[in-house]
Amino acid sequence: MACAVLAAACWTASHVHADPPLQAAARFLHLAALIVGLGAVLTVDWLALLWLLGRRRLSDVLQTADALHTPIWLGLGGLVLSGLFLHPDLASPLTLIKLGLVLAVMLNGLYAHWVGQRLKQLQEQSGSAPGSVPRRLLKQTGIAASISQIGWWGASVIGFLNSHP
């Protein structure tokens, strides 16, 4: 489904011709969606890091992730929707890399949700100390967080580079 959404967005973007005022509004909405989505991701990842350092409970991280799930997806959806009106150059290698990163973020978001559900089940059974979480699940959590950070920041940098010819 994530692949279909992104493919439909690319097709639509190649057929939409926004006038300058609409493009300006789309740029603002794009930036606002980035702030909402990436800000929420950074918050969850920061709390997860504090948990790994023993400064937060796993339940705090899971509650925060649950609360920020919607803003993360709204931010990502807002980026895709506003991007339709920004005239992306779909022939540019940088734009294709950015689209790949966006797809990775989307798929990883689904994976991260699954990992979060496993952590929630474990927390309900055994508590919240990092040492009580199986090594494999810790690795999966780290991989999901790394893919998320690389994807969000990579797409942001490419978006910035593409906006300054």
Side-chain angles (χ1 to χ4, degrees):
M1 176 108 164
C3 294
V5 166
L6 197 56
C10 289
W11 183 87
T12 303
S14 68
H15 291 83
V16 169
H17 300 291
D19 60 3
L22 182 56
Q23 278 189 334
R27 267 194 295 283
F28 175 78
L29 292 174
H30 208 68
L31 182 58
L34 176 64
I35 291 166
V36 169
L38 181 55
V41 166
L42 288 171
T43 301
V44 172
D45 288 351
W46 176 250
L47 284 179
L49 178 62
L50 291 175
W51 167 68
L52 287 171
L53 296 172
R55 300 186 67 206
R56 291 289 185 275
R57 296 183 320 255
L58 180 57
S59 60
D60 296 335
V61 178
L62 295 173
Q63 286 175 342
T64 302
D66 281 346
L68 294 178
H69 183 79
T70 300
I72 291 169
W73 284 103
L74 286 174
L76 187 55
L79 286 165
V80 171
L81 185 62
S82 61
L84 297 176
F85 303 98
L86 297 179
H87 247 298
D89 180 3
L90 298 175
S92 164
L94 269 182
T95 300
L96 295 177
I97 292 169
K98 180 180 179 179
L99 290 171
L101 290 170
V102 170
L103 180 60
V105 165
M106 293 170 83
L107 296 174
N108 186 65
L110 299 172
Y111 176 70
H113 181 71
W114 175 81
V115 170
Q117 294 302 312
R118 293 194 57 208
L119 281 168
K120 191 178 214 174
Q121 291 170 350
L122 183 68
Q123 188 261 330
E124 291 168 356
Q125 296 168 357
S126 66
S128 63
S132 68
V133 176
R135 189 175 193 84
R136 181 175 180 185
L137 190 52
L138 280 175
K139 283 183 183 179
Q140 290 172 322
T141 302
I143 288 168
S146 297
I147 291 170
S148 177
Q149 290 298 315
I150 290 166
W152 280 92
W153 285 106
S156 297
V157 167
I158 292 171
F160 174 78
L161 293 174
N162 279 345
S163 69
H164 292 84

